[in-house]
Amino acid sequence: MKILVTGGLGFIGSHTVVELQNAGFDVVIIDNLSNASIEVLDGITSITKKAPEFEKLDLRDKLKVQVFFEEHQDIDGVIHFAASKAVGESVEKPLLYYENNINTLVYLLQELSKKGNSNFIFSSSCTVYGQADQLPITENAPVKPAESPYGNTKQIGEEIIGDTCKVYNELNAISLRYFNPIGAHPSAEIGELPIGVPQNLVPFITQTGMGLRQELSVFGDDYPTPDGTCIRDYIHVVDLAKAHVVALQRLLKGANKANYEVFNVGTGKGSSVMEVIESFERVSGQKLNYKIAPRRPGDVIEAYADTTKANEELGWKAVSTLDDAMASAWKWEQKIRKK
Ligand SMILES: NC(=O)c1ccc[n+]([C@@H]2O[C@H](COP(=O)([O-])OP(=O)(O)OC[C@H]3O[C@@H](n4cnc5c(N)ncnc54)[C@H](O)[C@@H]3O)[C@@H](O)[C@H]2O)c1
């Protein structure tokens, strides 16, 4: 079976391509390389020993998307990662985010709705929950007003898919609400490649560990959490990639209970910023330079998933520990700096 992976050279996409190929799927990747390097293709190929098909294409080009689907009528499913993802940048450039994250989704759904039976997996995010009233967060927790245009594109994206599935019965879709993906493939052939100053905690930590950044700022240590720092649900990117494979298989087997479903993808365990730093220090054997800085406006205090639905219905469970993920992120950072 052939699966289209949009954004398949990006962080989560590349790991998912590996797991799809390992599970026996043929993969065609679309990526415009706006936030990825073409060398990722070599990384994927060196792990799986099979080069995925690749098409450099900007999904904002509706005509090219149409032509792509005309030329690839054998696609059995689509996993849609391609999007812009920097929260801060989305506040500065909202229209870029609405165009890149919403238009591309609409163009893909338009093509799929022409096809008859089709299967679609969407990269959503736990940001849709904001600061949830109850922890752990279940899929039934209310969606809170988005804090940024980026977050809003995920909420609107989910609504667009839901509305589309209501009228196109042959379109089967799943939104996966990721918690905080971290780490890299254990081979260190692929990993996260942040451009410029990393927006996320773990690449900032590993770059600080390598001496590329002077010190990490821990934003706030006076939150109402056990050690005063914010808590997130950090999931190893390989576990997250595998969740896509099982979600896709659910659709391909027709095992879905409705033609649009939503699943949390996390570990179910919250870790504080200090615990992540301690984990880094354990796996790297070195102390991290960090300072306590004032709270950042808009930061959610605590978020971790209730993963019961994914565990029971997808038969999927995250297996890697925080230390496993941090060790893989550190190995990857050392490898790319050597390069
Ligand atoms: N990384 C996270 O923490 C996180 C958390 C929740 C949800 N998500 C979502 O998961 C998805 C993947 O995230 P990621 O971390 O792998 O990001 P990423 O930036 O590494 O990957 C996205 C890929 O899409 C490509 N792309 C972007 N716009 C495109 C376009 N118009 N046409 C073709 N290709 C395009 C980029 O070049 C990149 O390779 C995104 O939708 C993101 O919003 C990510």
Side-chain angles (χ1 to χ4, degrees):
M1 284 193 159
K2 186 177 270 187
I3 308 304
L4 166 62
V5 180
T6 76
L9 295 186
F11 173 42
I12 308 168
S14 58
H15 290 81
T16 303
V17 171
V18 165
E19 297 308 321
L20 285 168
Q21 289 190 318
N22 285 345
F25 290 101
D26 287 335
V27 174
V28 50
I29 294 173
I30 285 181
D31 203 300
N32 66 354
L33 301 178
S34 59
N35 198 32
S37 153
I38 191 68
E39 287 172 27
V40 176
L41 260 185
D42 300 333
I44 294 171
T45 309
S46 82
I47 299 169
T48 62
K49 310 291 176 232
K50 190 176 174 206
E53 216 181 296
F54 172 64
E55 189 130 354
K56 182 168 183 254
L57 193 155
D58 193 323
L59 291 163
R60 287 173 294 189
D61 189 331
K62 182 174 173 161
L63 195 62
K64 287 202 176 135
V65 174
Q66 252 168 1
V67 171
F68 175 89
F69 275 90
E70 277 159 20
E71 288 173 352
H72 293 79
Q73 302 211 357
D74 55 343
I75 285 172
D76 298 289
V78 177
I79 307 184
H80 181 42
F81 293 103
S84 302
K85 65 166 182 178
V87 174
E89 186 188 45
S90 80
V91 176
E92 305 291 320
K93 301 175 184 166
L95 294 178
L96 185 135
Y97 275 67
Y98 287 115
E99 182 188 31
N100 205 33
N101 296 8
I102 302 296
N103 290 14
T104 58
L105 172 66
V106 171
Y107 300 159
L108 286 171
L109 292 176
Q110 281 172 333
E111 293 310 311
L112 292 183
S113 59
K114 288 181 199 162
K115 260 175 77 81
N117 189 20
S118 52
N119 303 297
F120 187 75
I121 311 278
F122 178 62
S123 296
S124 190
S125 167
C126 67
T127 55
V128 302
Y129 299 118
Q131 179 60 69
D133 303 322
Q134 279 184 333
L135 292 164
I137 305 171
T138 71
E139 288 81 354
N140 295 326
V143 167
K144 293 273 177 79
E147 294 273 349
S148 69
Y150 167 73
N152 210 17
T153 65
K154 294 299 171 190
Q155 299 192 1
I156 296 170
E158 287 196 10
E159 286 175 9
I160 290 172
I161 299 166
D163 288 344
T164 309
C165 284
K166 275 184 207 150
V167 288
Y168 294 100
N169 294 333
E170 287 188 320
L171 173 64
N172 291 290
I174 290 179
S175 285
L176 296 178
R177 291 177 177 163
Y178 313 156
F179 279 66
N180 296 75
I182 59 165
H185 195 269
S187 65
E189 293 291 343
I190 53 172
E192 193 170 1
L193 274 174
I195 292 174
V197 181
Q199 306 290 310
N200 292 333
L201 176 64
V202 171
F204 206 106
I205 288 180
T206 54
Q207 289 194 4
T208 308
M210 284 305 281
L212 252 82
R213 313 258 157 229
Q214 212 184 341
E215 64 183 355
L216 169 81
S217 294
V218 176
F219 297 110
D221 68 347
D222 55 354
Y223 284 105
T225 60
D227 64 23
T229 63
C230 290
I231 289 179
R232 297 285 180 277
D233 184 340
Y234 295 96
I235 174 166
H236 195 306
V237 65
V238 173
D239 279 332
L240 175 58
K242 288 179 178 166
H244 292 79
V245 178
V246 293
L248 184 71
Q249 284 164 334
R250 177 180 177 86
L251 297 183
L252 292 168
K253 281 190 294 206
N256 45 329
K257 291 190 175 154
N259 74 328
Y260 179 47
E261 297 177 312
V262 173
F263 291 94
N264 283 343
V265 188
T267 66
K269 185 180 178 300
S271 302
S272 71
V273 176
M274 286 314 300
E275 284 171 327
V276 178
I277 293 173
E278 284 157 19
S279 170
F280 171 78
E281 292 181 337
R282 245 187 332 269
V283 302
S284 69
Q286 67 180 62
K287 284 272 162 219
L288 187 78
N289 230 356
Y290 69 88
K291 66 168 185 207
I292 305 299
R295 290 181 181 194
R296 253 186 335 195
D299 266 347
V300 164
I301 303 168
E302 198 169 0
Y304 53 94
D306 184 321
T307 59
T308 312
K309 189 176 174 198
N311 299 160
E312 289 180 357
E313 297 201 21
L314 295 178
W316 167 92
K317 201 175 181 5
V319 292
S320 297
T321 63
L322 179 61
D323 280 7
D324 295 334
M326 292 305 290
S328 67
W330 182 230
K331 187 174 167 190
W332 167 246
E333 185 71 55
Q334 289 172 297
K335 164 140 184 220
I336 49 175
R337 292 311 145 199
K338 251 187 223 150
K339 258 191 168 177

